Amino acid sequence: MVGVTGGIAAYKAVQLVRLLVKDGHEVHVVPTEDALRFVGMPTWEAISRHPVTTSVHDDVARVRHVALGQAADLVIVAPATANTLAKMTAGLADDLLGTTLLATTAPVVVAPAMHTEMWRHPSTVHNMAVLRERGVIVVGPEDGELTGGDSGPGRMSEPEVIVAAALAAAEGGAGDLRGLRVVVSAGGTREPIDPVRYIGNRSSGRQGVAVALSAAERGADVVLVAAHVDDGVLAAASARPGLRVVRAGTAAELGEAVAAEAGGADVIVMAAAVADYRVAEVSPLKRSKESAPVGGITLDLIENDDILAGLVRRRREGQTIVGFAAETPGDGETLLDRGRRKAARKGADLLAVNEVGWSKGFEAADNAVTIIGADGEVIGARRGTKEDVAEALWDAIRMVRESQAKTK
Ligand code: CTP
């Protein structure tokens, strides 16, 4: 079943339906009223070779408003507008597409298409997170030219890409990480100074949690080692089946927790922002100015172990170790050069390099990463929501693991 909603990309859905029909699938098209303003009823009927209606009041004798959803082996919504995605999140059923989506137990694949501002709006970001959590498979959107001369993330993926992802989902391919044991660290560590103060960083944990959730959605067995993570971000992860959360506070605790889980892991992703230093002497009592020298104090800091480098040293055969590198550009050196040096220093199989700054990277819903391999070669790049980046990272991890398995 293909749902088509009211966006200009509806014209590309014609090609999508054609590809499915040519591939031997029986396709029922359910457009919304708005979709018909872009591509008319005769086109959908001709291309799908089935009658088409938008209304729950047609063909009532066959209980069409639920029959299509019940019978479908796969539901694709392309293009999926911001409005339809919001309706899906809320479970609204004011047209045939809405009732069909509520009646189906088949895999649901959506291909969002909208302007960048709409894709990045907190409502859409929230709706996408809810839909993904429910197991909806999201294809795209791509970064590219949009209507009206704008460009950015929001362009619907090409029909061939959507069809490939949808057919994989129908065959259970969405669980492409099934059987994989994964450990992901996320959030910022906090190094205590005394019982009430700490040295921390601005990591919200969003990217790491997105990586863990994406792995669980794709069928992996996931342990999320969470340092300090923003309120609300962890809640979604804690409720996710197939995902276990272990809490850690300091870099040392995070190191211990990761090491305890690492033995059985096939993939370890170090997305946590680990403090490089800890306070040499943590005061058991709240430090007071009364007992401090006038004019200022000096804190002695000791270097923490590099957890990622330690994991690489102890890596067992078949284990893939992935790091993140948050870099601020400068000194005439490109981000990628800095990333490459870090990759060489750490020895991880993959390193996701992203630019951070005063207003970049942290706390935001969006991110942009370049994924490089052990030799510094670029394996992938993704700009989009942190969920999009997480998906791209798992695609790269899968690719590297497949090529490693082949060369054995
Ligand atoms: N990392 C780690 N243990 C540390 C510091 C960092 O495992 N003590 C991991 C992070 O989780 C991340 C990667 O190493 O996956 C890179 O972290 P980053 O802070 O960018 O690098 P540093 O090693 O701290 O290097 P530098 O401070 O020189 O940028």
Side-chain angles (χ1 to χ4, degrees), residues 32 40 44 145 157 181 202 250 254 265 285 304 321-322 328 353:
T32 59
W44 299 122
E145 265 176 47
S157 297
R181 291 158 305 169
R202 287 179 54 207
T250 63
L254 188 100
L285 300 175
N304 283 326
I321 298 176
V322 183
T328 45
V353 186

Side-chain angles (χ1 to χ4, degrees), residues 270 272 274-276 305-308 323-326 342 345-346:
M270 283 294 298
V274 184
D276 287 331
D305 288 341
D306 189 324
I307 303 167
L308 182 63
F324 266 79
K342 197 164 278 185
R345 185 152 52 91
K346 303 252 179 186

Side-chain angles (χ1 to χ4, degrees), residues 389-404:
V389 166
E391 295 295 338
L393 187 65
W394 283 112
D395 291 343
I397 293 170
R398 256 194 66 184
M399 217 173 78
V400 164
R401 287 182 62 81
E402 274 165 22
S403 67
Q404 280 171 349

Side-chain angles (χ1 to χ4, degrees), residues 111-125:
M114 65 196 75
H115 264 74
T116 305
E117 292 80 356
M118 296 171 81
W119 177 246
R120 288 191 173 147
H121 191 279
S123 303
T124 310
V125 170

Side-chain angles (χ1 to χ4, degrees), residues 14 50 87 166 243 260-261 267 293 381:
V14 176
H50 283 291
K87 283 169 68 173
L243 192 154
E261 304 291 344
V267 181

Side-chain angles (χ1 to χ4, degrees), residues 186-188 203-206 209 224-235 247:
S203 170
S204 65
R206 276 174 204 278
V209 169
L224 171 66
V225 180
H228 179 75
V229 171
D230 275 6
D231 289 347
V233 175
L234 202 57
R247 301 304 302 264

